[in-house]
Amino acid sequence: MAEKVDVLVVGSGPAGSTAAMYAAKAGADVMMVERRSAVGSPVRCGEYMPSNGEIVKMFPNLTDEDSLFDIPKNLVCRETLGIKLVDPKDKVTLLDMPGYTIDRDIFDSYLADRAVEEGARLVTGCSFDRIDGGVAKTSQGDISYKVIIGADGPGSRVARSLGLSRNHNPYPAVTAQVKGDFEPYLYMFFGDIAPGAYSWIIPKDGRANVGVGCSPRFSEGLVTDYFGRFAEKRGFAEHSRVQGKYVPSEGPIPRTVSGDGILVGDSAGQVISVNGGGIPLAMIAGRIGGNVAAAKAAGKGSLEDYEVQWRRIMEKPLKTAAFNKKLADSLAFRSERSTAVCMSVLGKRRLNKLIRCQSIFP
Ligand SMILES: Cc1cc2nc3c(=O)[nH]c(=O)nc-3n(C[C@H](O)[C@H](O)[C@H](O)COP(=O)(O)OP(=O)(O)OC[C@H]3O[C@@H](n4cnc5c(N)ncnc54)[C@H](O)[C@@H]3O)c2cc1C
């Protein structure tokens, strides 16, 4: 006998937990399955969040952001003042952009706990395999559902089962923690240190999150080799174990709804192509997805409402960012020289627009 639920959420990252919380809050019987044994662990993220005001600058159609990003102060590791972009010649451009850093394992657990408090059931160590005859096959048995929400990250199995496209050309990124005192700025280093993307130092409390992303198109060797070179150059001899995963790089996939299922977060390509940021987007999509799924399970509305609502808020900025990333790939990332020239030509004003998903023209 298959377990029966209204809404089955696959994955307990920010997208899944937010969706589960809003669906449960709206009255649905929700189950969230997570293949890892502990929510959020190990951490595979730079752990940076822009301030609520900055999120609204990126997504002006977003409303009620303060209740969505109502993050308790004790979850904030460090407030940050801005971003320092470092070109291959070590020229620094400072962009004012307030934000903060978190511990993703604690942050993800907090979001999952909120979903559970609203009545969602969380099953860890449970891996979704496929959909067969309208039933989800998992490592812990069959689950029948009215709506399935795929929040299972960039290589989504739910996407494949629903017949939706998966992310094209995701790029690998790795991260680790180092001890030390760091300025309250996020550093992004461009050039051969991270071909086609960037390496970073993101300050926390007496620590920093350091990492590298690189595009397979421009790199030779493994992303971990690039991390090793970055760590050596910056003197990070002692760092925690390097962890990584893939980052969607081409913006949202064409369709995120199919039959009884929707995709939220990285599984839907809801990531800012120019910087790889995805936590706020996962939560924005999660809230919409959870509400729409609960309504659908109660016999009201259509899952198509999800497609319409998230695109109204995020599609234009995400497509602009994907376009800017393509421009960077063809003009800036060809060599260290072209990277330095392009950053210089863009200047502070246009780099500010670039990082905020806005058109760099005129
Ligand atoms: C190295 C790195 C650094 C990053 N830094 C930042 C940053 O500083 N700021 C930012 O905003 N974004 C950052 N991102 C992007 C951000 O991590 C993602 O956009 C965000 O985690 C997306 O949330 P999600 O819930 O969609 O997916 P995830 O957080 O990937 O969660 C997916 C969950 O689904 C589970 N899962 C997968 N498959 C299955 C299955 N078959 N069955 C059950 N469960 C499954 C996974 O175990 C995981 O817990 C970074 C990404 C990387 C790789």
Side-chain angles (χ1 to χ4, degrees):
M1 281 287 284
E3 174 108 35
K4 282 192 176 149
V5 297
D6 288 339
V7 178
L8 173 63
V9 180
V10 180
S12 69
S17 287
T18 307
M21 185 187 77
Y22 280 95
K25 205 172 176 174
D29 175 24
V30 180
M31 181 184 280
M32 177 162 63
V33 297
E34 166 56 52
R35 76 173 166 200
R36 295 195 264 180
S37 54
V39 171
S41 229
V43 171
R44 297 172 180 138
C45 183
E47 307 177 294
Y48 171 77
M49 284 283 282
S51 68
N52 294 4
E54 288 295 338
I55 294 171
V56 175
K57 275 188 201 161
M58 279 181 235
F59 304 108
N61 289 340
L62 176 67
T63 53
D64 203 9
E65 67 281 359
D66 288 337
S67 71
L68 180 60
F69 301 110
D70 178 20
I71 311 303
K73 281 270 170 255
N74 64 332
L75 259 56
V76 174
C77 294
R78 180 90 181 262
E79 304 221 331
T80 54
L81 301 175
I83 300 181
K84 291 191 177 180
L85 306 178
V86 186
D87 84 357
K89 292 178 177 166
D90 284 337
K91 185 182 159 204
V92 178
T93 306
L94 168 62
L95 308 179
D96 295 322
M97 186 166 183
Y100 58 96
T101 55
I102 51 176
D103 287 319
R104 264 298 292 272
D105 45 353
I106 298 173
F107 182 81
D108 283 19
S109 298
Y110 164 77
L111 293 179
D113 287 349
R114 285 186 68 190
V116 170
E117 279 161 25
E118 291 294 345
R121 279 175 289 160
L122 167 66
V123 184
T124 52
C126 178
S127 187
F128 167 88
D129 183 39
R130 66 189 190 283
I131 297 168
D132 193 346
V135 171
K137 301 281 181 184
T138 79
S139 58
Q140 295 195 26
D142 295 354
I143 305 167
S144 87
Y145 55 82
K146 292 179 182 165
V147 178
I148 185 166
I149 299 182
D152 50 340
S156 174
R157 282 190 176 190
V158 178
R160 190 169 47 192
S161 297
L162 291 172
L164 293 169
S165 49
R166 291 203 282 179
N167 294 290
H168 292 297
N169 300 322
Y171 61 82
V174 292
T175 176
Q177 311 277 329
V178 291
K179 287 190 181 146
D181 289 324
F182 296 87
E183 292 179 31
Y185 293 97
L186 190 160
Y187 276 83
M188 294 166 81
F189 301 92
F190 297 89
D192 287 349
I193 201 80
Y198 63 93
S199 53
W200 67 81
I201 300 174
I202 302 181
K204 296 171 79 176
D205 45 350
R207 302 166 286 157
N209 182 306
V210 297
V212 177
C214 53
S215 161
R217 181 175 153 195
F218 297 101
S219 37
E220 288 164 11
L222 299 172
V223 66
T224 42
D225 299 334
Y226 284 96
F227 180 88
R229 286 197 279 275
F230 177 58
E232 195 182 322
K233 185 169 178 190
R234 294 282 147 194
F236 302 144
E238 289 189 17
H239 54 75
S240 67
R241 191 164 165 211
V242 179
Q243 299 282 352
K245 77 179 172 83
Y246 281 87
V247 182
S249 71
E250 295 194 347
I253 58 172
R255 292 263 316 147
T256 60
V257 177
S258 171
D260 296 332
I262 64 174
L263 301 177
V264 293
D266 275 17
S267 64
Q270 291 158 337
V271 172
I272 299 171
S273 305
V274 286
N275 57 35
I279 306 168
L281 291 69
M283 293 174 69
I284 294 168
R287 175 166 69 178
I288 299 168
N291 282 328
V292 169
K296 169 76 176 156
K300 294 176 238 153
S302 151
L303 290 186
E304 288 299 327
D305 295 344
Y306 168 69
E307 192 92 73
V308 172
Q309 289 179 34
W310 83 254
R311 286 190 190 277
R312 196 179 63 77
I313 296 170
M314 294 197 285
E315 182 169 47
K316 189 168 175 234
L318 289 187
K319 286 202 161 168
T320 303
F323 175 77
N324 288 340
K325 171 73 168 68
K326 278 214 167 85
L327 270 185
D329 282 352
S330 48
L331 298 174
F333 289 141
R334 286 178 303 166
S335 67
E336 289 219 309
R337 192 169 171 274
S338 62
T339 304
V341 168
C342 285
M343 288 177 76
S344 171
V345 167
L346 284 173
K348 186 168 173 154
R349 188 176 70 84
R350 286 201 176 89
L351 287 169
N352 253 312
K353 289 179 146 199
L354 191 80
I355 209 90
R356 292 188 170 86
C357 307
Q358 293 165 4
S359 170
I360 51 173
F361 305 109

